[in-house]
């Protein structure tokens, strides 16, 4: 299918009907699309394992209570915890998202956020089905749910811009909607159940985008996706217990979602749901906000020109697009790592100083280096109208930034432009070896090389995905003792 935008084909409650129809439909996905799901699983798993080394992340993952005997418990990868599906969805979703290193898309958000709910729902359902004498679910079922969840989240974001300042909701609303739909189906719900669950997901109170922006930028942005996953499972399970749905959650006058959040503008899907979002997924090779990643690459390319002259910098010009100005153009104090990893200026400064950005570079210790703020103070962020147009043009979908440095002597560098980040589909061949290096680095403290190779081998061949039961796969990723692996 094409990614080119089209006039809205579904609005208001017709959106819920279209999503429900899409989720329950059997689809023969292209081989290339299925191949990409396996890369997404590898990447998300690496991100989750890497997050287990962060004490703040582990504080969030600690089980609130022990699951009672008899539950179809869900293993949390890298730990020995077997949890109820709601708590497991929170923990898995939070771990994947915590380092801000997980996949993203041309329409924003992090589609692998949905894996917290997908893996928990699939595992819980598979164990339940087998206790009833029915076949369990496999990694192939997980792939189907991934493609559909990525698409639902992405197309809702593309058509509705829920996180635009005029609406100001957090983008994880798309995670909750998509995960509720696919989880209800994984857990055994039919089309009508999916539609009921979706109505409740939209009638929920929705997370606000405030915790991603100064002065409120904080750790909640690391567990917001897990929270959305947990809520999705809760809504799905309540639906399957017989909870009613609602006919007009979106368009009801005064009290409906559109009236409350969108000023009466209808929720829309601009094109048929398919597999375009997953096909165009962007992998992060550096832990920073997507719109800063090309500025980081440009800054790194300037380091040879700058060698030995960083103290001579008079100005750093960053040419960018409007989404950067809206999301990550941060001046003044950056009090938390959540503010730093969403600061264009901080990321460019670190790239010039180190030639790379790692998760630990957002710590308080790293941020205390006075050279960082010294460089930030010399930065000028300039919108390039061509970059803004290309960012929003469905035929281009660039993420362009350029960096240029002026020294006190007047010596001026070339303007180094990067149109697409290395993780973009247009650079997939360049990305793949680095993606595997990323996986190795993130899992090194938890798994020996043999274990890493075993995990990669399992996900290397599509032919085996339909024969691997999801609970067996997750059991194989668990640690042998309580707490995190390693």
């Amino acid at each position: 299918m094409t990614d080119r935008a089209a006039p809205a084909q579904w609005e208001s409650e017709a959106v819920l009907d279209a999503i429900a129809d899409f989720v329950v439909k059997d689809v023969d996905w292209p081989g290339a699309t299925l191949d990409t799901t396996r890369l997404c699983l590898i990447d998300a798993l690496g991100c989750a394992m890497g997050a287990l080394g962060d004490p703040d992340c582990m504080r969030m993952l600690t089980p609130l209570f022990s699951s009672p005997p008899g539950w179809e418990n869900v293993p949390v990868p890298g730990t020995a915890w077997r949890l109820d599906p709601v708590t497991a969805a929170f923990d898995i979703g939070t771990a994947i998202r915590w380092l801000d290193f997980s996949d993203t898309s041309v329409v924003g958000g992090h589609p692998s956020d949905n894996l917290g709910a997908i893996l928990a729902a699939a595992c819980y359902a598979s164990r339940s089905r087998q206790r009833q004498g029915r076949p369990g679910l496999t990694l192939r079922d997980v792939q189907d749910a991934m493609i559909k969840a990525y698409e639902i989240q992405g197309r809702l974001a593309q058509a509705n811009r829920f996180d635009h300042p005029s609406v100001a909701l957090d983008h994880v609303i798309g995670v909750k909607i998509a995960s509720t739909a696919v989880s209800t189906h994984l857990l055994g719900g039919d089309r009508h159940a999916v539609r009921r669950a979706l109505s409740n997901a939209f009638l929920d109170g929705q997370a606000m985008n405030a915790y991603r922006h100064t002065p409120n930028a904080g750790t909640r942005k690391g567990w917001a996706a897990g929270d959305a996953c947990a809520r999705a499972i809760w809504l799905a399970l309540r639906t399957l217990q017989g909870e009613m749905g609602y006919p007009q959650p979106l368009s009801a006058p005064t009290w409906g979602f559109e009236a409350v959040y969108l000023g009466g503008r209808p929720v829309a899907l601009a094109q048929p749901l398919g597999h375009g979002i997953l096909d165009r997924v962007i992998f992060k090779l550096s832990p920073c906000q997507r719109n800063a990643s090309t500025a980081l690459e440009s800054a790194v390319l300037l380091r040879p020109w700058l060698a030995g002259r960083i103290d001579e910098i008079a100005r750093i010009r960053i040419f960018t697009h409007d989404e950067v100005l809206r999301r990550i153009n941060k001046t003044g104090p950056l009090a938390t790592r959540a503010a730093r990893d969403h600061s264009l200026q901080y990321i460019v400064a670190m790239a010039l100083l180190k030639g790379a950005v790692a998760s630990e570079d957002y710590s308080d210790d790293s941020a205390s280096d006075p050279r960082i703020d010294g460089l930030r103070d010399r930065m000028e962020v300039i919108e390039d109208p061509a970059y803004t147009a290309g960012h929003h043009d469905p035929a281009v979908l660039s993420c362009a930034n350029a960096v240029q440095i002026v020294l006190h002597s007047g010596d001026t560098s070339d303007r180094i432009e990067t149109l697409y980040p290395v993780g973009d589909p247009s650079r997939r061949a360049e990305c793949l070896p680095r993606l595997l290096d990323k996986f190795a680095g993130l899992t090194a403290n938890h798994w020996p090389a043999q274990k890493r190779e075993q995990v990669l081998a399992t996900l290397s061949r599509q032919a085996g995905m339909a024969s691997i039961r999801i609970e067996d796969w997750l059991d194989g990723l668990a640690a042998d003792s309580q707490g995190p692996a390693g």
Side-chain angles (χ1 to χ4, degrees), residues 177-189:
I177 301 305
S179 286
T180 296
V182 299
S183 296
T184 302
H185 186 51
L186 284 168
L187 290 162

Side-chain angles (χ1 to χ4, degrees), residues 20 32 114 163 207 209 288 299-300 305 310 318 368 373 376 435 477:
N114 293 283
D163 63 345
N209 201 245
C288 67
V300 170
W305 178 89
I310 200 158
I318 306 173
S368 66
D373 284 347
R376 290 175 62 216
L435 190 67
L477 302 175

Side-chain angles (χ1 to χ4, degrees), residues 79-80 82 478-482 485:
T79 79
R82 267 76 173 173
D480 294 329
S481 59
Q482 289 297 321

Side-chain angles (χ1 to χ4, degrees), residues 76-95:
V76 177
T79 79
W81 296 323
R82 267 76 173 173
L83 305 174
D84 68 272
V86 174
T87 309
F90 178 91
D91 282 14
I92 296 170
T94 296

Side-chain angles (χ1 to χ4, degrees), residues 312-329:
E312 301 174 29
I313 293 175
R315 291 189 304 281
I316 301 168
R317 296 172 179 147
I318 306 173
F319 302 90
T320 191
H321 55 274
D322 63 340
E323 287 288 297
V324 166
L325 296 175
R326 179 167 71 86
R327 293 175 180 270
I328 58 172
N329 179 25

Side-chain angles (χ1 to χ4, degrees), residues 1 16 44 76 113 115 127 149 157 178 214 279 299 328 333 395 426 431 437:
M1 68 174 287
L16 307 187
V76 177
D113 288 350
L115 276 166
R127 294 195 200 276
T214 304
D279 288 344
I328 58 172
S426 64
C431 168
D437 288 343

